[in-house]
């Protein structure tokens, strides 16, 4: 079983819609959760992080964490063509554990 | 403030050749990382340096060596390149290792081994 799993996509949504990106993880002791955005040919950049169960909002982005279900998601409201990118979920285990990245979900926002 | 810089941006090597990928950060970060990214495989950790003076193996260390030259610089060496090492290599840094600080990535090195 992969440590961090994401659907590779592509996930296509029309402009203005809500995009929902999902990620599951296997290590129940994981403590920190990150969403990175990676444009084609570019390096990853952090857009959200979450540590506690529940929702965390930042502008058009909302991260949701459910530790009991080992599930973290990213919602993008009012999706724009500029949101078209690959979104990487990253999970850090407890203590001195490293960060593990998922393979990413490609999002396409159709104008 | 340049963040994380990497050289070179592109490189083509023949099988058996060696090379060193250079990485430097100007954010005074303690931890630095080398990843490779392959289609369908995501980012895989090759080596990391939790703090100056220490280095440790990550998920895919075979065929690579690293040097943490000082707090700013962390280099990755391929001693005898193989076609399986064709990939995009990213260097990253973070403020610390033991907590969930975000990682800042360099622009990447696109390496082809023929």
């Amino acid at each position: 079983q992969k440590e961090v799993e994401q659907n590779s996509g592509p996930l296509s949504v029309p402009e203005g819609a809500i995009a929902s990106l999902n990620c599951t993880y296997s290590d129940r002791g994981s403590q920190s959760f990150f969403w990175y955005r990676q444009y084609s040919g570019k390096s990853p950049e952090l857009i959200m992080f979450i540590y506690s169960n529940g929702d965390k909002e930042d502008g058009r982005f909302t991260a949701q964490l459910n530790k009991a279900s080992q599930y973290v998601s990213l919602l993008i409201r009012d999706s724009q063509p500029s949101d078209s990118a690959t979104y990487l979920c990253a999970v850090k285990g407890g203590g001195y554990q490293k960060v593990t990245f998922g393979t990413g979900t490609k999002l396409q926002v159709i104008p | 403030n340049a963040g994380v810089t990497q050289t070179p941006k592109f490189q083509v090597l023949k099988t058996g050749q060696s090379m060193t990928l250079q990485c430097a950060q100007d954010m005074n970060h303690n931890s630095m990382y080398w990843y490779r990214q392959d289609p369908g495989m995501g980012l895989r950790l090759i080596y990391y340096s939790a703090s100056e003076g220490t280095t440790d193996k990550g998920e895919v260390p075979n065929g690579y060596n690293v040097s943490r030259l000082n707090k700013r610089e962390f280099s990755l060496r391929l001693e005898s390149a193989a076609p399986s090492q064709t990939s995009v290599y990213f260097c990253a840094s973070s403020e610390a290792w033991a907590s969930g600080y975000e990682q800042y990535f360099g622009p990447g090195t696109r390496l082809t081994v023929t």
Side-chain angles (χ1 to χ4, degrees):
Chain A
Q1 181 189 4
K2 287 185 184 176
E3 294 179 51
V4 179
E5 292 211 47
Q6 296 181 257
N7 188 319
S8 61
L11 172 66
S12 294
V13 300
E15 184 174 354
I18 296 175
S20 178
L21 304 161
N22 304 316
C23 172
T24 59
Y25 59 94
S26 60
D27 181 0
R28 209 167 260 285
S30 298
Q31 295 184 342
S32 309
F33 306 86
F34 307 85
W35 283 99
Y36 285 80
R37 177 177 61 201
Q38 187 175 23
Y39 291 114
S40 180
K42 302 296 185 182
S43 56
E45 57 176 337
L46 184 77
I47 52 172
M48 290 285 292
F49 63 87
I50 186 166
Y51 301 146
S52 304
N53 274 332
D55 294 359
K56 179 181 178 182
E57 188 174 316
D58 184 0
R60 295 187 297 112
F61 298 96
T62 299
Q64 299 176 316
L65 175 60
N66 184 326
K67 288 187 177 181
S69 300
Q70 295 174 243
Y71 178 95
V72 59
S73 64
L74 179 70
L75 301 178
I76 306 174
R77 289 183 299 281
D78 188 24
S79 294
Q80 302 296 309
S82 58
D83 294 325
S84 297
T86 296
Y87 290 80
L88 306 174
C89 173
V91 176
K92 185 188 178 303
Y96 283 83
Q97 295 300 310
K98 64 178 176 64
V99 172
T100 300
F101 285 83
T103 54
T105 297
K106 185 172 183 178
L107 173 67
Q108 294 177 338
V109 181
I110 311 300
Chain B
N1 190 339
V4 180
T5 57
Q6 291 182 237
T7 56
K9 287 188 168 54
F10 301 92
Q11 184 71 49
V12 178
L13 291 178
K14 291 186 180 351
T15 297
Q17 288 185 318
S18 62
M19 77 163 296
T20 300
L21 281 65
Q22 306 285 356
C23 173
Q25 52 92 9
D26 62 2
M27 295 174 282
N28 201 36
H29 284 169
N30 289 302
S31 300
M32 298 185 73
Y33 314 82
W34 276 106
Y35 291 93
R36 60 178 289 173
Q37 188 173 40
D38 303 291
M41 300 292 288
L43 282 163
R44 292 184 291 170
L45 185 63
I46 305 171
Y47 270 92
Y48 66 93
S49 172
S51 60
E52 186 180 357
T54 69
T55 60
D56 282 289
K57 295 178 181 179
E59 185 182 352
V60 288
N62 290 346
Y64 306 95
N65 283 301
V66 291
S67 296
R68 183 75 182 266
L69 304 169
N70 47 55
K71 192 171 185 179
R72 289 187 63 248
E73 298 171 288
F74 188 39
S75 63
L76 178 72
R77 183 159 178 83
L78 286 70
E79 290 291 352
S80 179
S84 60
Q85 294 178 304
T86 293
S87 187
V88 180
Y89 292 84
F90 288 105
C91 176
S93 70
S94 66
E95 189 171 329
W97 169 260
S99 53
Y101 289 108
E102 68 174 291
Q103 296 185 24
Y104 293 82
F105 286 81
T109 295
R110 283 144 185 83
L111 174 67
T112 301
V113 183
T114 61

